[in-house]
């Protein structure tokens, strides 16, 4: 657990609470599968303190483990209500919070939250979202909806396209102030599975990085739309055998192929030409930003932490 | 090493050679990466004896290892010439045999073979084939071309579509008596990587098998052409979470999605409506046959061994 602010650096009042925390109104928590972020917020949603915690999947499961982890991470914070989103509301979390269906007006974030009392606080957990995606399949997300709602508030946006690249990339369409629909592309998981368990990437390849090989992979996928990634992937192998691709660049080329197919599959679903809003790590923002640029589309990177906190503040204002 | 015929079951003449082997004219060998098949053939290419051997990748590499493996598998056979195809002509094989370019007239199989003397025999190794595939990428195969040429001879075919499902599925178009072009889809490798290393298949799933879940996966992929497999794969997960797909059927559904995308990507590249010729294991022939049926296309399964031996006989007749 890494704290962004050291507790010892905060001035402490006579009553035991640091002066700087006295305007605290609620605890905001973006509590995902593998990582968690918490903020102590004032009534405008500004962070008075920020901490990181363990993801739900690392806690071993069960309500008691989640409660204990919450107590550890909020130790020393005032006993104010908490508003949480993410996998903490899933079936391995603290309380199962279900799903709300799309479309959902951004201003409705907070609807359907599960509320319960814990150690003198009211804890609210936001539901996930589900929809029928553009392929006609049911799709789900949990936590991303809060980041998108926050991003829309920060940017004053009523229409736009968001991507949250990662293990399971969520592409979310915002239309007329509503989270309209979304789909999940398993880009990150596919790259991980193929880069470690196939002949496409040699063991001595460098990690994926922007550059010529990445661009070539992106361009190849873009040239074929999202068509037949199955038939394109073998190019990683042939190019290495024929030495037109260096073995050390194998992972970058494969990454480009997959990111390019992901972008090529998503863009036609949204006719607007506004910049795509990316919420992800800096490295993934660089990759997706470059692939979008090669597809002729602008993008901008938003801070996932800022978006989540703002979304949680919106939900807190609605339910309290 | 498993011998299909026991040596002790053969009548042996005074000179040491079994009577039944005296019409032997050449040794045919389909010597791949993971497996190898050998036949002692008469001048019409009929098998007088059949044996199996170790694949190139299991030999540890090097010409001496290949030569020793060949001596072991042909032990007791007459000292007639040998005609080999497959990875034995690759860079980890006995002699590197290069590639010939597509299109290649079926009657030209044998062109470019590497010939050398070994232990009193002339050994010929067929080159692989390369082409620019329908995606504009260079593609390669080694051994499959011989099976296709043999299949065309057996079926008296001058036009058709072949699929050789496996780790790397080769789709090969035969036009006007020529191996015209082909592409490789990494269907088998993708299924293996994702079924073992992703959230798409639960550890307690049954192995993939024909049935409702397989059909549903195929239909979903077919409905979207070969488009955006990346965006469809997550359906495996969501359907299990929502319990519309049993965990034990996860592998079958994923297999259906991938086989369906493979078929959907290949069929539009070939306008004919003749049955697709499948050369693969019985299990894969059942899967691909069913997916093709759901796509409205007939198929038939050919014996890989028969096709390889007939192709090698064609090549032997041409070079000797």
């Amino acid at each position: 657990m890494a704290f962004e602010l050291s507790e010892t650096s905060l001035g402490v009042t006579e009553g035991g609470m640091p002066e700087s925390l006295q305007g605290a109104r609620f605890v905001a928590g973006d509590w995902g599968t593998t990582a968690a972020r918490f903020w102590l917020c004032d009534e405008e949603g500004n962070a008075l303190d920020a901490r990181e915690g363990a993801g739900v999947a690392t806690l071993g499961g069960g309500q008691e483990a989640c409660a204990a982890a919450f107590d550890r991470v909020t130790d020393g914070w005032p006993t104010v209500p908490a508003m949480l989103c993410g996998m903490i509301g899933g079936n391995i979390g603290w309380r199962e919070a279900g799903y709300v269906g799309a479309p959902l007006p951004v201003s409705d974030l907070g609807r359907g939250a599960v509320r319960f009392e814990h150690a003198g606080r009211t804890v609210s957990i936001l539901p996930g979202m589900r929809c029928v995606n553009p392929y006609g399949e049911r799709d789900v997300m949990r936590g991303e909806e809060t980041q998108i709602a926050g991003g829309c508030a920060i940017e004053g946006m009523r229409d736009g396209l968001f991507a949250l690249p990662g293990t399971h990339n969520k592409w979310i369409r915002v239309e007329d102030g509503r989270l309209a629909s979304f789909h999940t592309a398993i880009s990150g998981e596919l790259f991980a599975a193929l880069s470690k368990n196939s002949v496409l990437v040699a063991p001595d390849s460098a990690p994926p990085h922007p550059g010529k090989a990445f661009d070539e992979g992106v361009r190849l996928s873009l040239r074929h739309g999202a068509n037949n990634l199955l038939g394109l992937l073998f190019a990683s192998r042939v190019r290495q055998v024929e030495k037109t691709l260096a073995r050390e660049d194998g992972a970058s080329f494969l990454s480009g192929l997959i990111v390019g197919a992901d972008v090529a599959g998503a863009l036609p679903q949204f006719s607007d030409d506004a910049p795509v809003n990316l919420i992800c790590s800096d490295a993934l923002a660089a990759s997706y930003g470059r692939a979008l640029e090669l597809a002729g589309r602008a993008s901008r990177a938003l801070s996932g932490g800022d978006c989540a906190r703002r979304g949680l503040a919106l939900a807190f204002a609605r339910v309290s």
Side-chain angles (χ1 to χ4, degrees), chain A:
Chain A
M1 209 178 298
F3 297 116
E4 286 186 22
L5 297 177
S6 155
E7 292 182 58
T8 57
S9 70
L10 302 167
V12 174
T13 63
E14 225 171 293
M17 182 184 306
E19 263 179 69
S20 59
L21 304 188
Q22 287 183 341
R25 184 72 203 290
F26 74 105
V27 172
D30 179 14
W31 201 336
T33 306
T34 58
R37 293 177 286 201
F38 300 87
W39 301 270
L40 183 64
C41 294
D42 66 15
E43 60 187 347
E44 279 86 37
N46 299 308
L48 306 176
D49 198 2
R51 295 177 178 175
E52 294 179 5
V56 177
T58 66
L59 294 175
Q63 297 191 1
E64 281 174 32
C66 293
F70 180 79
D71 291 343
R72 281 196 303 277
V73 87
T74 57
D75 185 41
W77 279 0
T79 313
V80 291
M83 174 60 69
L84 309 176
C85 71
M87 281 306 290
I88 194 66
N91 59 6
I92 57 166
W94 199 349
R95 291 284 194 292
E96 207 164 342
Y99 297 96
V100 290
L104 178 79
V106 169
S107 56
D108 261 11
L109 192 74
R111 172 148 65 88
V114 166
R115 302 183 73 172
F116 58 96
E117 298 301 310
H118 169 71
R121 304 174 195 264
T122 301
V123 175
S124 302
I125 302 181
L126 291 177
M129 274 192 74
R130 63 178 163 206
C131 73
V132 174
N133 71 25
Y135 303 108
E137 281 293 302
R138 296 176 69 88
D139 215 325
V140 292
M141 62 182 175
R142 197 178 277 287
E144 292 91 346
E145 73 296 326
T146 305
Q147 295 187 315
I148 308 306
C152 288
I154 290 170
E155 299 290 331
M157 205 189 308
R158 290 185 58 82
D159 293 275
L161 181 59
F162 284 82
L164 283 80
T167 305
H168 297 152
N169 184 10
K170 306 288 181 183
W171 290 91
I172 301 122
R173 286 152 288 279
V174 175
E175 293 169 12
D176 196 22
R178 301 175 311 165
L179 305 181
S181 78
F182 56 92
H183 78 269
T184 305
I186 65 154
S187 327
E189 191 158 53
L190 182 69
F191 174 77
L194 287 178
S195 62
K196 287 178 205 140
N197 305 284
S198 79
V199 301
L200 303 181
V201 175
D204 54 352
S205 172
H209 54 276
K212 186 169 167 289
F214 176 81
D215 282 5
E216 284 179 7
V218 171
R219 286 198 178 94
L220 180 55
S221 274
L222 291 179
R223 198 178 310 139
H224 298 281
N227 288 351
N228 218 336
L229 182 60
L230 254 188
L232 293 177
L233 287 166
F234 197 60
S236 305
R237 172 73 172 171
V238 175
R239 286 180 176 215
Q240 287 174 70
V241 168
E242 299 207 335
K243 300 194 193 310
T244 58
L245 174 68
R247 286 161 57 97
E248 65 181 28
D249 289 333
S252 295
F253 181 76
L254 176 65
S255 171
L257 273 178
I258 292 174
V259 173
D262 195 4
V263 164
L267 286 188
Q269 298 173 14
F270 195 77
S271 56
D272 190 7
D273 59 358
V276 176
N277 301 283
L278 298 172
I279 302 179
C280 53
S281 69
D282 290 349
L284 282 173
S287 294
Y288 274 78
R290 176 62 177 158
L292 285 160
E293 183 185 348
L294 291 172
R297 186 78 177 249
S299 65
R300 63 183 165 193
L302 305 183
S303 155
D306 288 353
C307 290
R309 199 178 66 248
R310 183 67 167 265
L312 289 162
L314 286 174
F316 181 70
R318 187 183 188 281
V319 303
S320 55

